[in-house]
């Protein structure tokens, strides 16, 4: 099932992104600022694509 795999990957990336934000104790405004800094715009978190989430996660991991 390709569709189930897509949604699971999407969910896993969203969880990873959330974990990275929580690790740094970012507020919602700070999270939006980081996403805007990385992507150049701030989409709704639930509407982010896999590629967008991967970019944000990579930025957060490299930012350590």
């Amino acid at each position: 099932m390709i569709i189930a795999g897509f949604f699971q990957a999407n969910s896993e990336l969203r969880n990873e992104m959330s974990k990275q934000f929580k690790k740094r104790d970012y507020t919602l405004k700070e999270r939006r600022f980081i996403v805007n800094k990385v992507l150049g715009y701030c989409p709704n978190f639930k509407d982010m694509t896999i590629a967008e989430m991967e970019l944000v996660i990579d930025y957060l991991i490299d930012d350590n």
Side-chain angles (χ1 to χ4, degrees):
M1 287 231 129
I2 295 173
I3 295 173
F6 169 78
F7 286 114
Q8 185 170 353
N10 198 5
S11 177
E12 289 172 1
L13 285 173
R14 186 172 289 120
N15 290 340
E16 177 64 26
M17 187 172 66
S18 179
K19 195 179 345 175
Q20 292 295 327
F21 279 132
K22 286 180 184 177
K23 185 195 272 187
R24 291 161 181 76
D25 265 348
Y26 285 150
T27 64
L28 182 60
K29 286 184 180 183
E30 292 169 328
R31 292 176 188 199
R32 290 191 168 278
F33 177 80
I34 295 296
V35 171
N36 187 34
K37 183 177 178 181
V38 173
L39 300 177
Y41 59 94
C42 189
N44 186 346
F45 285 110
K46 292 183 179 179
D47 296 334
M48 290 178 71
T49 64
I50 290 174
E52 290 170 337
M53 284 188 270
E54 287 175 342
L55 286 173
V56 173
I57 292 168
D58 289 342
Y59 176 82
L60 290 169
I61 291 172
D62 292 342
D63 196 35
N64 276 339

